[in-house]
Amino acid sequence: MKRVFPTLIQHFPGSRSEMKEAVSEALRIGYRHFDCAFVYKNEAEVGEALKEAMESGQVLREDLFITTKLPPHYNDPALVREALDSSLKWLKLDYVDLYLIHVPFSIDREYLKAIGEEKMYQKPEEPDKFYTSMDHSKIWQVSPSVRTVTDELIEAFFLLYHFQGMEKLVDEGLVRSIGLSNFNQQQIQHVIDNCSIKPANLQVECHAYLPERELLNFCNQHKIVLTAFAPLGSPAFAKATCAGEPVLLEDPVVKKVGDKHKKSPAQVLLRWLIQRNICVLPKSVNKVRLKENFDVLDFALDEADVEEMNTLGTKNLRYFLYEPSEDSPDYPFPRSKAA
Ligand code: A2P
């Protein structure tokens, strides 16, 4: 089985050249799994670094695992293909290994265009116009089991106009597998109940303060690989936006376990997730920390360490709440009282 190493590269506030250099450095260290997204606006730089590495013979395409994501203003079967085509063009690839629906909430593309794309992350003034309520199984594909002659005719009409859901991308070899991100259990179940190709992967925030045990069990039952974003608890984001909340990388339990193994807190946090068979996406643009996050395969947490780490899960602390999106009918988390 091909081994997929710890991953990096998501949204980060660095310059474009810093981004490309981080990918090149990661490739030199041995990273082979890169996580991108249409909305991160990083695909061109990732693509340039990958292209250089492949052209110089440093890596082969088949050794890479590239993920990217469908943005919320393309959550529509009519727009899926267009979004993927853009990502492939920026990445300079003819296929991606994994394509995820980035978030369950869907934004009206024309309305967003009219008010300005920079407003995508702000609380909308007119939520009814901003959000559409798109059935996720339609973005995926209509299940053959529920097809009638009418459905077949509708589908033929859709295909004529290049309306293609996620499953069609697999059929055409443009993506190797498809999955979901930031979906809750009920939303995933709805896709499973109405699909031909099951989601292969679920990417969610997951770390020692948010262990997502129930969701992991659910994924295991359905043979869905769980991938953790923010595995280190995104320290800079946590400090900037979650004032008063504990910072996971500074937790004394994590430090104590690390001291025992002569490993850093970040390495302990990654190792704890890997031992739960969770794929990890630590982000870094720093050469030393890139290497540090990669060196997590030469030690193991024992039962006592795991037990101690598990106590942190009682905090159940989610740093990424996507609060401006609480007005969407598809908001995946319990809403705050203010909404
Ligand atoms: P930097 O890019 O300067 O290394 P997460 O992956 O949980 O979202 O966390 C990403 C953040 O954690 C980035 O701000 C990154 O900063 C920092 N970071 C990444 N690796 C480490 C590490 N090994 N030790 C401390 N901070 C780290």
Side-chain angles (χ1 to χ4, degrees):
M1 200 182 92
K2 202 156 64 171
R3 183 171 237 169
V4 177
F5 284 102
T7 320
L8 82 163
I9 305 310
Q10 291 190 42
H11 211 188
F12 88 107
S15 69
R16 293 190 175 273
S17 61
E18 197 183 10
M19 176 85 227
K20 184 180 164 198
E21 183 43 38
V23 177
S24 300
E25 180 61 21
L27 285 163
R28 283 191 284 274
I29 291 171
Y31 286 80
R32 295 294 179 262
H33 177 189
F34 294 87
D35 183 73
C36 314
F38 185 110
V39 297
Y40 300 158
K41 297 193 189 298
N42 64 4
E43 291 168 308
E45 292 72 35
V46 174
E48 268 170 44
L50 296 179
K51 186 165 179 265
E52 278 178 20
M54 285 190 278
E55 283 179 354
S56 70
Q58 188 191 355
V59 288
L60 299 173
R61 174 64 185 94
E62 57 263 39
D63 293 331
L64 295 169
F65 192 97
I66 310 299
T67 302
T68 197
K69 310 186 191 89
L70 179 75
H73 53 312
Y74 285 73
N75 271 359
D76 182 325
L79 303 176
V80 169
R81 178 65 192 268
E82 188 185 328
L84 178 75
D85 282 347
S86 299
S87 288
L88 289 176
K89 193 176 87 198
W90 289 322
L91 287 164
K92 297 167 228 353
L93 297 174
D94 49 18
Y95 72 92
V96 288
D97 297 272
L98 178 62
Y99 199 46
L100 304 175
I101 299 182
H102 200 151
V103 285
F105 38 87
S106 307
I107 297 172
D108 186 299
R109 186 170 71 156
E110 294 310 316
Y111 183 78
L112 182 67
K113 218 187 266 177
I115 62 169
E117 280 214 9
E118 70 287 354
K119 301 233 168 94
M120 186 189 291
Y121 305 104
Q122 296 168 14
K123 202 167 174 63
E125 281 171 22
E126 298 179 293
D128 293 349
K129 291 186 181 160
F130 188 80
Y131 292 111
T132 58
S133 76
M134 179 58 69
D135 178 340
H136 301 129
S137 70
K138 299 283 186 292
I139 306 169
W140 205 259
Q141 194 190 41
V142 181
S143 161
S145 63
V146 297
R147 275 189 195 149
T148 61
V149 172
T150 318
D151 287 332
E152 295 290 348
L153 286 172
I154 289 170
E155 191 187 40
F157 171 81
F158 272 19
L159 284 179
L160 200 64
Y161 288 95
H162 308 291
F163 284 24
Q164 306 196 355
M166 302 285 281
E167 291 180 345
K168 276 282 184 289
L169 305 177
V170 180
D171 290 346
E172 291 187 18
L174 297 170
V175 314
R176 290 278 159 97
S177 50
I178 46 181
L180 305 167
S181 182
N182 296 298
F183 276 51
N184 64 31
Q185 195 168 310
Q186 200 187 355
Q187 291 168 328
I188 303 165
Q189 186 68 59
H190 178 68
V191 173
I192 291 174
D193 291 342
N194 294 281
C195 72
S196 303
I197 303 175
K198 270 197 184 183
N201 183 266
L202 173 71
Q203 187 181 129
V204 287
E205 177 181 351
C206 182
H207 43 69
Y209 283 165
L210 187 69
E212 292 289 18
R213 290 183 213 292
E214 204 184 310
L215 196 56
L216 180 63
N217 281 341
F218 174 82
C219 285
N220 288 341
Q221 274 166 23
H222 291 281
K223 299 193 168 41
I224 297 171
V225 174
L226 196 140
T227 298
F229 78 75
L232 309 177
S234 282
F237 179 84
K239 282 178 190 169
T241 62
C242 310
E245 299 291 4
V247 176
L248 179 59
L249 261 179
E250 294 169 5
D251 193 287
V253 169
V254 183
K255 185 163 182 343
K256 186 180 142 205
V257 175
D259 288 348
K260 174 174 154 187
H261 292 276
K262 298 194 171 40
K263 289 284 179 183
S264 70
Q267 289 169 319
V268 170
L269 290 169
L270 296 176
R271 184 73 211 181
W272 177 78
L273 287 164
I274 290 170
Q275 286 186 208
R276 299 175 69 212
N277 286 328
I278 291 174
C279 179
V280 292
L281 301 173
K283 303 188 279 290
S284 183
V285 288
N286 174 284
K287 286 184 184 187
V288 175
R289 289 190 282 278
L290 277 173
K291 178 83 177 76
E292 183 181 317
N293 297 343
F294 192 75
D295 290 334
V296 292
L297 302 174
D298 60 352
F299 79 112
L301 302 178
D302 61 31
E303 243 177 74
D305 302 328
V306 170
E307 226 170 85
E308 207 161 1
M309 288 292 295
N310 286 350
T311 62
L312 303 180
T314 54
K315 288 204 167 54
N316 204 32
L317 174 58
R318 186 184 300 283
Y319 293 112
F320 291 85
L321 281 165
Y322 301 103
E323 274 158 335
S325 310
E326 279 188 344
D327 291 327
S328 158
D330 299 310
Y331 183 71
F333 312 126
R335 289 179 170 80
S336 70
K337 285 194 194 97

